[in-house]
Amino acid sequence: QVQLVESGGGLVQAGGSLRLSCAASGRLGIAAMGWYRQAPGKQRELVATSTIGGSTNYADSVKGRFTISRDNAKNTVYLQMSSLKPEDTAVYYCNARSFWGDDFWGQGTQVTVSS
């Protein structure tokens, strides 16, 4: 099992920035970590992912504004969010995928962007 603890959400004005953190612990063997989000009434969607090899992937809606990074020594993944828009408002979930294809999720952290 992998436990994920997120932090860093909150309320910010449009155009502002936030940084989310997610620390993993437990029986690791993590191949990739990333962030997903779910807005009210919408399905959960991918925001950004990062593999242990350093490859990254972003949703088109956040490219150029969000940056995902990892500290493999600390088993921590970060999401730096800049130029935030009201449509970025959602609960953001940290995800870890093991080498065996198992998915683990954090409890979620609320990000609210006011206009």
Side-chain angles (χ1 to χ4, degrees), residues 10-77:
L11 173 65
V12 65
Q13 289 187 331
S17 299
L18 281 175
R19 189 175 85 151
L20 306 182
S21 300
C22 173
S25 62
R27 187 176 181 181
L28 302 179
I30 296 172
M33 295 185 74
W35 293 92
Y36 290 70
R37 67 186 181 187
Q38 187 167 18
K42 294 187 177 181
Q43 290 188 329
R44 190 173 298 188
E45 63 177 2
L46 179 146
V47 176
T49 60
S50 174
T51 70
I52 195 169
S55 299
T56 58
N57 182 44
Y58 293 92
D60 287 342
S61 60
V62 306
K63 283 181 181 177
R65 300 188 298 121
F66 292 9
T67 301
I68 190 169
S69 60
R70 288 177 67 168
D71 185 334
N72 289 327
K74 296 182 179 180
N75 295 310
T76 299
V77 65

Side-chain angles (χ1 to χ4, degrees), residues 70-113:
R70 288 177 67 168
D71 185 334
N72 289 327
K74 296 182 179 180
N75 295 310
T76 299
V77 65
Y78 305 95
L79 185 68
Q80 179 66 47
M81 304 184 292
S82 301
S83 302
L84 283 160
K85 304 175 181 179
E87 51 263 44
D88 294 317
T89 295
V91 177
Y92 283 69
Y93 295 92
C94 179
N95 168 268
R97 176 163 293 180
S98 75
F99 286 104
W100 304 274
D102 298 314
D103 276 314
F104 301 92
W105 296 93
Q107 78 282 2
T109 185
Q110 178 70 45
V111 172
T112 303
V113 184

